[in-house]
Amino acid sequence: MSGGRWIYRLVQLAFLAAVLGAWQYSSSEGLVSPILLPSFTASVHEFVKVLSTGAFWPDLRVTLYELIVAFLIAASAGCTIGYLVSRTGYSIRVFDPLFAGIYSIPTILLFPLYVLFFGLGAGSKIAIGATIAFFPVVLNTIAGFGFVDKTYVTAARSMGASGVQMFWSVLMPAAFPVMLTGLRMGFIIAFLAILGSETIASLSGLGHRIVTYAESMDPAKMFAYIFFAILIALLLNTSVSMIEARVRRGHG
Amino acid sequence: MSSVRLGPGAARLLVIVALVIVWEVGVRVDGDPLFMSPPSSVVVSLLGFVTNLPVLGALRTTLWELVAAFLIAVAIGLPLGLIIGLQRFAYRSFHPIVLLLYAIPQATILPLVVLMFGIGPASKIAFGATHAVFPIVVTIVAGVQGVKPTLVTCARSMGASRAQILANVVLPHMVPSFFTGMRLAMTSDLIGVLLAELYVSQAGVGHFTRLFTESFEPSKLFALIACLAAIAVLLNELCRRAERRMSRWHD
């Protein structure tokens, strides 16, 4: 099995090489307008320049700041409301479909309103990120706390556990893994929504930088920042998954 | 604990009504009409849209963009998913590439898509299709791979040819996952098309959201967003119904 693995890697490399080769060829031969497609080498050159000069810092800082604030708002509101709702089966049946229903509407629709309320700056990005991340967090918190095996709760109570002990020793350990999934999903979709809303209308941030270079017809720099944003997205994805796995292991 | 209890559905309705009342009263008491509208005037604006031909046209365009992008994504995603799912070689070589591409935040390439396809409907359709195609491919691959090996072995031992196995075992078994993929694709399709609409738009809904924001007409903005939300809910619900219907026989 593993003996044949190199074949697949080879095919993947060949595919990548073909795409990049086609890119370089079509731009150097002038098949595609240089405004649409700069040469691959020029884009890589700009990308290296962005990385080495640290020119990405101001925009990255804005985007990460928006992401962290949005996530903190969504996490605290989502966990608190989710926990409160999960306390009775009745309130779960009332609120869970309500949150799930609202969640099925694309949140980005609210962005024009948020621009009206909070302006073009970081405020509207934080609001959209917090709104979109709230739903997976609250739904998973409800699912986590709402469906703890009743035997454990009864057993703990019959052994005289206090409310605090019940929360930290029974409910929390049972609910935590499910909550964690919601938090990870919330974090990732908040990042995507913030990037998207920076693209639509903003004053700074990674999405804003990409748009600026697109509109000033500077495609090599635009591609450099597209590469950079993708790099950041992949880094965030992997680090969040790693944190989740580690917490899960330490917890379980 | 009260003795008389509302059903959960009625209580939910009550919560929604209470929120609308708080919104109405709150805005009437202390709200800047340039930024916020009470629900009653949103409803008035909503009714005004019935005779507002440009807005109706924009909504129709958006609906059309959503459907076109969805169909393109299915036309590309279905064969791609089948090939990658059924062909061992294709799976081992190209599935990682699909997953990698799926992980890329597509908002980054939105300006590029607009540069390529212009500010008309074409760029919205393209962006919606690139959003919708990945969930289809990934769920179809998972669906094809999820067919129980016993069934395939069983069919083979009874002398079924590859084509017969494909037609009678594999394809019927991936129908539920196909519809799950369609539902997920519709969710992504909505995000893609709406993002592109809001980014830049000639006569689509994005044009009007910008217009209503810049002319400080929040009631019209709310009404337009409500229409779009209704379209989203409708399309999502259609896909969910289809999914439920098609997966019922499977259990």
Side-chain angles (χ1 to χ4, degrees):
Chain A
M1 194 76 108
S2 60
R5 274 184 83 115
W6 59 272
I7 281 218
Y8 305 117
R9 295 285 166 273
L10 205 65
V11 172
Q12 284 159 11
L13 280 177
F15 181 75
L16 188 72
V19 170
L20 296 182
W23 178 351
Q24 183 65 17
Y25 178 77
S26 55
S27 61
S28 65
E29 295 293 304
L31 300 178
V32 185
S33 152
I35 290 172
L36 290 182
L37 203 63
S39 78
F40 174 64
T41 41
S43 309
V44 170
H45 182 71
E46 287 293 340
F47 178 57
V48 172
K49 214 160 80 182
V50 166
L51 280 187
S52 57
T53 57
F56 58 84
W57 263 117
D59 292 305
L60 180 63
R61 198 153 39 202
V62 170
T63 302
L64 288 183
Y65 162 75
E66 290 162 352
L67 175 61
I68 289 167
V69 176
F71 178 71
L72 289 179
I73 294 173
S76 45
C79 290
T80 315
I81 294 177
Y83 176 73
L84 294 177
V85 167
S86 76
R87 288 307 76 216
T88 70
Y90 180 71
S91 60
I92 292 178
R93 281 196 299 278
V94 172
F95 287 102
D96 195 56
L98 187 64
F99 290 135
I102 302 173
Y103 188 33
S104 77
I105 298 169
T107 318
I108 196 73
L109 275 178
L110 293 176
F111 186 64
L113 277 178
Y114 285 167
V115 170
L116 193 61
F117 297 160
F118 305 108
L120 283 172
S124 54
K125 315 309 172 294
I126 292 172
I128 202 85
T131 311
I132 209 166
F134 169 78
F135 290 99
V137 176
V138 80
L139 288 170
N140 279 275
T141 308
I142 293 174
F145 278 109
F147 301 98
V148 177
D149 194 338
K150 290 281 175 293
T151 348
Y152 294 129
V153 179
T154 322
R157 192 170 297 143
S158 70
M159 287 190 270
S162 68
V164 176
Q165 283 172 323
M166 180 76 94
F167 181 80
W168 287 113
S169 311
V170 180
L171 295 179
M172 199 58 186
F176 192 61
V178 188
M179 263 169 76
L180 209 56
T181 307
L183 289 169
R184 177 174 53 78
M185 282 168 59
F187 187 82
I188 295 300
I189 61 174
F191 176 67
L192 296 180
I194 286 171
L195 210 54
S197 51
E198 279 178 353
T199 307
I200 296 174
S202 61
L203 302 171
S204 53
L206 284 177
H208 177 77
R209 190 59 51 206
I210 294 171
V211 175
T212 312
Y213 285 131
E215 283 168 0
S216 62
M217 302 292 173
D218 203 342
K221 287 210 177 87
M222 174 183 75
F223 268 101
Y225 270 95
I226 290 179
F227 292 158
F228 184 71
I230 291 172
L231 180 73
I232 294 298
L234 296 179
L235 280 178
L236 281 177
N237 248 324
T238 15
S239 44
V240 169
S241 296
M242 268 166 58
I243 291 172
E244 192 196 1
R246 170 155 301 182
V247 172
R248 224 175 257 283
R249 213 169 30 238
H251 173 81
Chain B
M1 300 277 154
S2 59
S3 52
V4 185
R5 249 189 174 182
L6 286 166
R12 201 177 310 133
L13 204 63
L14 213 62
V15 171
I16 295 171
V17 170
L19 285 176
V20 172
I21 290 174
V22 168
W23 175 7
E24 177 84 37
V25 173
V27 174
R28 288 206 180 276
V29 171
D30 177 37
D32 188 337
L34 290 182
F35 295 97
M36 198 64 194
S37 303
S40 53
S41 54
V42 173
V43 172
V44 172
S45 297
L46 199 57
L47 294 176
F49 281 169
V50 175
T51 54
N52 190 336
L53 289 180
V55 171
L56 284 183
L59 286 170
R60 200 171 47 228
T61 308
T62 304
L63 189 61
W64 181 70
E65 287 162 358
L66 283 165
V67 173
F70 186 73
L71 293 179
I72 291 174
V74 173
I76 296 173
L78 180 61
L80 212 59
L82 282 178
I83 292 170
I84 293 179
L86 291 171
Q87 257 271 318
R88 214 183 127 66
F89 181 76
Y91 176 75
R92 298 291 300 268
S93 353
F94 289 107
H95 198 50
I97 295 180
V98 169
L99 291 180
L100 185 70
L101 290 177
Y102 194 11
I104 288 176
Q106 295 200 20
T108 54
I109 62 161
L110 177 52
L112 191 65
V113 172
V114 171
L115 280 177
M116 278 182 183
F117 293 95
I119 58 173
S123 58
K124 282 77 178 178
I125 294 174
F127 203 55
T130 57
H131 268 79
V133 76
F134 289 103
I136 296 182
V137 174
V138 171
T139 36
I140 284 182
V141 169
V144 171
Q145 307 244 309
V147 176
K148 286 198 189 76
T150 8
L151 295 176
V152 178
T153 322
C154 191
R156 194 174 295 143
S157 71
M158 287 191 272
S161 67
R162 261 188 84 91
Q164 283 173 323
I165 292 178
L166 186 64
N168 298 315
V169 181
V170 176
L171 288 185
H173 260 268
M174 52 146 279
V175 166
S177 60
F178 173 68
F179 279 93
T180 306
M182 302 263 272
R183 176 174 57 80
L184 296 174
M186 185 50 84
T187 313
S188 309
D189 182 21
L190 281 161
I191 294 174
V193 169
L194 291 174
L195 259 177
E197 272 289 347
L198 294 178
Y199 173 55
V200 61
S201 172
Q202 243 173 339
V205 287
H207 167 73
F208 287 100
T209 53
R210 191 150 294 193
L211 183 73
F212 296 152
T213 310
E214 282 166 4
S215 59
F216 295 102
E217 294 179 283
S219 71
K220 285 189 182 165
L221 185 59
F222 271 110
L224 186 59
I225 288 172
C227 291
L228 291 170
I231 290 178
V233 169
L234 191 79
L235 290 174
N236 276 334
E237 196 54 33
L238 267 176
C239 290
R240 193 153 47 215
R241 287 266 160 90
E243 183 192 13
R244 211 173 300 154
R245 168 156 300 185
M246 295 318 284
S247 57
R248 202 179 302 150
W249 66 274
H250 197 245
D251 312 320

